[in-house]
Amino acid sequence: MTRTDATDPIAGNAPTDRSVSLFDRARAHPFILLVIVPTLIAALYLFAIASAQYRSEAQFVVRGLDTQSAPASGVGQLLGISSSLSPGQQEAQSIREYLRSHDAVRALRAEGVDLVAIYRRPGTDPLSRLWSPVPRAETLLDFYRDHVDVIYDPDDNITRLSVRAFDPGDAQRIA
């Protein structure tokens, strides 16, 4: 008769050694694996590794000529929606699209703002920084769009520009 340490599925006897693997403990307590461990990893990153980020905001109003807009359709009247934008709203939307375009990145570069140097600043944690020292134009635009928000509020015609960077002066320069 031979002795084995593995569980015999037919006989149903348990292992003879008392060591329980980490995987077995995790299966027995899924809360630890699914909640506690990810929370600890996120807390470790946020409090020990992540770089500080600063936000600079600007607000502006775009005024257009006051002309009568077309009356809303039947469903639009029920929902309170006008069928067309006023000239000021159209201009604000155009500015919003410009501020999120390649042209805005090019204009910043023309003003002497080096986005690559700003977002690759030494001391910035590797998960937050721009990875490539010479990024493609599309990569830089995507990173720029992740750090620049342009929100238009049609109720008061205010456009809000919000810029995040790893230095407060850099956030102000970009804004």
Side-chain angles (χ1 to χ4, degrees):
M1 188 159 134
T2 60
R3 180 174 177 255
T4 61
D5 287 337
T7 304
D8 184 1
I10 298 172
N13 48 350
T16 56
D17 65 331
R18 296 211 177 248
S19 67
V20 178
S21 72
L22 184 61
F23 180 73
D24 291 334
R25 287 184 187 180
R27 273 194 337 186
H29 303 288
F31 181 78
I32 293 172
L33 184 65
L34 297 175
V35 177
I36 302 298
V37 171
T39 301
L40 289 175
I41 291 171
L44 175 71
Y45 171 73
L46 291 174
F47 292 115
I49 300 171
S51 300
Q53 293 189 21
Y54 301 90
R55 183 177 300 270
S56 181
E57 294 188 1
Q59 298 180 7
F60 55 91
V61 176
V62 178
R63 298 194 190 271
L65 299 174
D66 289 336
T67 59
Q68 292 290 344
S69 60
S73 63
V75 174
Q77 287 177 337
L78 289 173
L79 298 175
I81 300 172
S82 175
S83 62
S84 66
L85 296 175
S86 71
Q89 290 172 330
Q90 291 173 354
E91 291 295 322
Q93 292 296 337
S94 297
I95 291 171
R96 178 186 181 280
E97 292 305 315
Y98 168 77
L99 289 174
R100 296 183 48 81
S101 71
H102 284 286
D103 293 332
V105 173
R106 195 174 307 118
L108 284 169
R109 188 173 296 141
E111 291 288 324
V113 178
D114 186 4
L115 291 175
V116 175
I118 287 172
Y119 288 124
R120 285 189 53 80
R121 183 172 295 282
T124 304
D125 70 275
L127 294 179
S128 299
R129 71 184 301 171
L130 181 64
W131 287 11
S132 174
V134 184
R136 294 184 6 233
E138 292 79 17
T139 304
L140 182 59
L141 180 63
D142 288 342
F143 195 85
Y144 169 79
R145 285 179 176 171
D146 288 341
H147 289 79
V148 174
D149 294 321
V150 184
I151 300 168
Y152 172 69
D153 185 2
D155 293 333
D156 53 8
N157 286 337
I158 293 178
T159 302
R160 291 173 178 82
L161 171 67
S162 176
V163 178
R164 285 185 301 129
F166 305 112
D167 181 74
D170 290 341
Q172 286 181 341
R173 284 187 23 215
I174 294 170

